[in-house]
Amino acid sequence: MSECSILVVEDDTIQRQQMVRSLEKEGYDVLQASTGHETIRILESQSICLILTDRKMPWMDGDWLLSYVRVNYPRIPVAFATAYPEETENLEPDGILVKPFSGSELKELVRRLLEKEAC
């Protein structure tokens, strides 16, 4: 579908796999990471057009990841998946999925962000 991939960053294996499967069914090329360290390695070696990240993760959380991407990869949009959307107001992610979310909500957010960025 595209020359770049969507990166799903989620420390919960089941949640991550569900997101990946849902997006792959839509024809997207999807990579996955469970930690901030894995995410950095992927960003350094792959063409990424969108990052979907959990906000609450051990060590390098979604807030840190958003800041890192804004500085080092400013063209890549970052969307949070979080049960606490009110805590993200000052962070200004490109999108928010409120947990629990449906597959259709995930697909709509991805479609909107990829259209906006035209990767």
Side-chain angles (χ1 to χ4, degrees), residues 65-95:
L65 181 58
L66 175 64
S67 297
Y68 178 84
V69 171
R70 291 282 192 253
V71 169
N72 296 286
Y73 303 92
R75 298 188 63 117
I76 300 175
V78 177
F80 283 148
T82 181
Y84 308 99
E86 63 281 354
E87 295 177 7
T88 65
E89 292 175 3
N90 296 333
L91 302 172
E92 298 180 6
D94 297 289

Side-chain angles (χ1 to χ4, degrees), residues 19 52 79-83 95-99 101-102 105-107 109:
M19 293 171 70
L52 300 170
F80 283 148
T82 181
I96 298 173
L97 281 171
V98 179
K99 291 181 177 183
F101 53 86
S102 68
E105 290 172 311
L106 170 65
K107 294 170 199 172
L109 175 70

Side-chain angles (χ1 to χ4, degrees), residues 19-45:
M19 293 171 70
V20 169
R21 276 194 299 271
S22 181
L23 294 171
E24 286 177 340
K25 283 181 184 177
E26 295 299 307
Y28 295 110
D29 182 36
V30 184
L31 300 173
Q32 55 185 302
S34 61
T35 68
H37 292 293
E38 285 180 70
T39 302
I40 292 169
R41 283 194 298 271
I42 291 170
L43 285 168
E44 291 172 346
S45 64

Side-chain angles (χ1 to χ4, degrees), residues 101-117:
F101 53 86
S102 68
S104 60
E105 290 172 311
L106 170 65
K107 294 170 199 172
E108 174 59 28
L109 175 70
V110 167
R111 184 195 58 74
R112 182 175 52 82
L113 290 175
L114 291 179
E115 282 179 0
K116 180 180 172 185
E117 296 303 315

Side-chain angles (χ1 to χ4, degrees), residues 7-21:
L7 178 56
V8 174
V9 184
E10 170 66 64
D11 61 323
D12 181 287
T13 303
I14 294 170
Q15 177 92 37
R16 186 177 65 250
Q17 290 174 345
Q18 288 174 338
M19 293 171 70
V20 169
R21 276 194 299 271

Side-chain angles (χ1 to χ4, degrees), residues 46-63:
Q46 303 289 323
S47 178
I48 303 298
C49 55
L50 172 62
I51 298 172
L52 300 170
T53 185
D54 186 12
R55 241 192 106 224
K56 302 282 185 182
M57 296 184 293
W59 308 44
M60 294 180 186
D61 65 8
D63 298 356

